[in-house]
Amino acid sequence: MKTTTRVCVIGGGVVGVSVLYHLTKLGWSDVMLVERSELTSGSTWHAAGGFHTLNGDTNMAALQGYTIRLYKELEEITGMSCGLHHVGGITLADNRDRFDMLLAERAKHRYMGLDTQIVGPEEIAKIAPITNLEGILGALYDPLDGHLDPSGTTHAYAKAARMGGATIETHVMVQETTQRPDGTWNVVTDKGTIHAEHVVNAGGLWAREVGAMAGVYLPLHPMEHQYIVTDEIAEIYERDSEHPHVMDPAGESYLRQEGRGLCIGFYEQPCRPWAVNGTPWTFGHELLPDDFDKIEDSIAFAYKRFPVLERAGVKSVIHGPFTFAPDGNPLVGPVPGLRNYWSACGVMAGFSQGGGVGLMLAQWMIEGECERDVSAMDVARFGDWISPGYTLPKVIENYQKRFSVSYPNEELPAARPNRTTMMYDIFDDMGAVWGAQFGLEVVNYFAEGDEARYETPSFRRSNAWEATAREVKAVREAVGINEVQNFGKYEVTGPNAREWLDRVMAGRVPKPGRLSLTPMLSHKGRLIGDFTISCLSDTHFQLTASYGAQAYHMRWFEQNATEGVTVRNVSDQLTGFQIAGPNARKVLEAVTRDATDLKFMDVRPMTVGMTPCLVQRVSYTAGLGYEIYCEPVAQRQLWHTLWTAGQEFGMRPFGMRAMMSLRLDKFFGSWLSEFSPDYTPGETGLDRFIAWSKNADFIGRVAAEAERANPPDRVLCAFEVAVNDADVNAYEPIWIDGAVQGFCTSGGYSHHAGKSIALALIPRSYAQDGQKAQIEILGEMCDATLITTPLYDADGAQMRG
């Protein structure tokens, strides 16, 4: 066995061998994989082997498409069969919401280049004739859906990796992973120690245990999953062609042909977690005992949807565990806080996602970043606050909702409330309807009177409409108050702090007492952050960004650390409020002495009432606004000071639903909507904040300068949209001159202007005021007009005055 290697991949399931193959594909041959048993041991060998492209996240869907296309390439490279069956598949909709979801997905697929179709009952009867169509409105048909041989595919990956120079060692048990002072790793096994530059945890069912060897908690949990293979069914084996896949969300089931019968699996509500206290190292090729009681209701529903099942005998039952993360997406990438330690875990849909996961991790490791935004599966999307006690109920919830409708405004209840601020009970008593961001309870809006304390999940306008309109009106006409806990906040100190910020941030680093806005770029010039820099002194700065990106940003700061600079995450050590609206200055003047001369983009320590605060004049709502920061222990006192003074000036609390409406008035972008690693400064307009003249070789400068010299083909624009009861959410296609020319990044309703607004990326050649277009929203073509004048404070007089 080799004792030194550039990369050691731990785990020989489909994900581990995919990572290994892609490392060789991108040019690294000194790589190896160790597996404690045989390849496919764990959850790979008993997988149903289905694959599909449908995924609510467009980047995940694209990676699933890549995975599916990869299988033919593997067969050509290796001469081995993956057992491919490209039979196509349909996803059924038996109610309006499910059909809306399929319409939304089909719209996304238009600009992604996926050839899916919406089909009606008559077409479903031809595609999948064993389906009982009672109550079915329609379905989404995807010709790429299919299934494969899990073992054959895994071994094809392995052979392709070996052909690229990789080494695979089976029956090698990892016992320890220990990091050396130089950042490399000792992987201690029962066959000797391997010295590796990089370690990849692809441990699957054992990923938690492998992670613990490095002192890492990975938020994963195995769930029991059961599927059934039937005896021969005449309606199946007498067909001229193989029966396609059928996903029936109402029945929480998936179905496909297996030989001369059918295979049907269930995501049942009375589901069971497995190995709560840890996966036994002795587990491998075993199955769990059959448990028909658990799926009794699912089987009864399936008999109604597919009557042929009731007449078929059971040939075999496959009941085994596989792992989920709290949101159902994989955990991939460099683990925050560790050098050269990578995660490739929680890939629940291994044969749909494994190829894409392997490609992204290999690009990340070799090239320093991925070709697309992988935030949805980045291991850094969870912070160090996450615990097994949180993970377990969220994993159960995700399993139960595997085939449920995924709404853009839905707030899932499991493991909540978890993290709260000092204001939780006060806001709750005021009628707060809560959302969650990065584990933190955040107010979405405030219900009044007999209004429900629950927002109805919907693709259309919800019951939050009236409350959001009230809160927007208060901010535009008087003054609103909103908590600022849900901002990511970082303290940067030290003699080299300014120099470091000039290198890490593309924008201008302000002088003491001032703010600046800046993008943070990757080495390839992609957007990886959207920051406010507050200069408190030449050696003391505060950064503000997205709350949910804390672990991601801290990982980047640590990767680019330098002497003479300390970066500290103070997101939960600083809290407070923003006040916004034409009366905001009057409120602040009533509670502090020196607010009058605070200019736009100023920052200053102030005493507000009795509370020492940091006050900065900036607002995401457009117009006049202030952010007021304090320690958490002083937050309630600060609230009472501001709230009491604010009553004279019409103060109302407002939540995130109003915030998202207000920002549309100024066409302000949002992190992971308009601003993400998928986009560049020139595409999104953030290039106007780049300090081109500064004497600093900031990260991404070469790429940004190249884009400046050759402007990108697409740009971010705003559209006014003629809609009925559904506004733009994201990824709806933009039609111009009869063809799809772009897509929406986000949108919603401007309650101030009384208009539906969409932000979208379109070709630069069409980006002219008054340009006509159509936006496909839930299957309807809605007229849209490009607008360039902001809907509120167009000249900035309120904001700067």
Side-chain angles (χ1 to χ4, degrees), residues 510-578:
K511 296 178 180 180
R514 295 287 290 167
L515 313 174
S516 68
L517 305 179
T518 176
M520 185 168 73
L521 306 182
S522 73
H523 290 283
K524 294 183 179 180
R526 297 278 168 172
L527 294 172
I528 58 172
D530 170 30
F531 283 83
T532 299
I533 304 177
S534 306
C535 182
L536 310 182
S537 76
D538 281 322
T539 58
H540 188 186
F541 298 83
Q542 179 176 304
L543 309 179
T544 310
S546 170
Y547 188 78
Q550 290 173 54
Y552 176 94
H553 286 151
M554 283 301 297
R555 181 177 64 195
W556 183 255
F557 295 154
E558 289 165 4
Q559 289 171 352
N560 291 281
T562 190
E563 290 186 6
V565 181
T566 300
V567 182
R568 193 164 66 97
N569 184 356
V570 294
S571 299
D572 296 326
Q573 283 73 58
L574 277 180
T575 188
F577 305 94
Q578 66 169 316

Side-chain angles (χ1 to χ4, degrees), residues 19-55:
V19 169
L20 195 70
Y21 163 66
H22 282 94
L23 288 169
T24 65
K25 184 177 182 179
L26 269 61
W28 283 14
S29 58
D30 181 19
V31 295
M32 70 183 297
L33 180 149
V34 293
E35 161 58 43
R36 66 179 186 89
S37 182
E38 299 283 354
L39 296 183
T40 77
S41 297
S43 57
T44 294
W45 77 270
H46 61 71
F51 54 78
H52 57 87
T53 58
L54 185 64
N55 191 296

Side-chain angles (χ1 to χ4, degrees), residues 401-415:
K401 294 185 70 64
R402 172 80 173 119
F403 280 161
S404 298
V405 178
S406 179
Y407 298 95
N409 67 329
E410 187 172 23
E411 297 288 350
L412 300 177

Side-chain angles (χ1 to χ4, degrees), residues 766-789:
Y766 291 110
Q768 301 168 12
D769 193 68
Q771 171 68 55
K772 299 298 182 183
Q774 288 186 310
I775 300 178
E776 184 179 351
I777 303 175
L778 302 181
E780 295 186 20
M781 301 299 283
C782 301
D783 291 336
T785 303
L786 194 152
I787 54 177
T788 56
T789 301

Side-chain angles (χ1 to χ4, degrees), residues 83-143:
L84 291 177
H85 296 255
H86 276 289
V87 297
I90 57 172
T91 302
L92 302 173
D94 67 337
N95 61 42
R96 184 72 234 182
D97 282 355
R98 285 197 176 97
F99 196 60
D100 278 350
M101 183 179 76
L102 298 183
L103 290 171
E105 291 305 309
R106 170 63 186 116
K108 295 176 187 178
H109 295 165
R110 290 194 194 278
Y111 74 84
M112 293 174 64
L114 296 175
D115 185 25
T116 57
Q117 302 172 32
I118 295 293
V119 294
E122 290 185 5
E123 293 165 288
I124 296 170
K126 297 174 184 177
I127 297 169
I130 65 170
T131 307
N132 176 2
L133 298 174
E134 182 180 353
I136 297 297
L137 301 182
L140 180 73
Y141 174 71
D142 186 346

Side-chain angles (χ1 to χ4, degrees), residues 496-509 518-523 528 533 556-563 565 567 694-701:
N496 296 330
R498 178 177 290 276
E499 179 183 359
W500 181 80
L501 285 169
D502 260 329
R503 182 171 63 86
V504 171
M505 300 295 176
R508 178 180 56 83
V509 180
T518 176
M520 185 168 73
L521 306 182
S522 73
H523 290 283
I528 58 172
I533 304 177
W556 183 255
F557 295 154
E558 289 165 4
Q559 289 171 352
N560 291 281
T562 190
E563 290 186 6
V565 181
V567 182
K694 74 177 181 179
N695 186 25
D697 186 20
F698 59 83
I699 295 171
R701 179 157 199 161

Side-chain angles (χ1 to χ4, degrees), residues 712-726:
D713 293 334
R714 63 184 185 182
V715 291
L716 186 67
C717 299
F719 285 87
E720 180 182 337
V721 193
V723 302
N724 293 317
D725 63 343

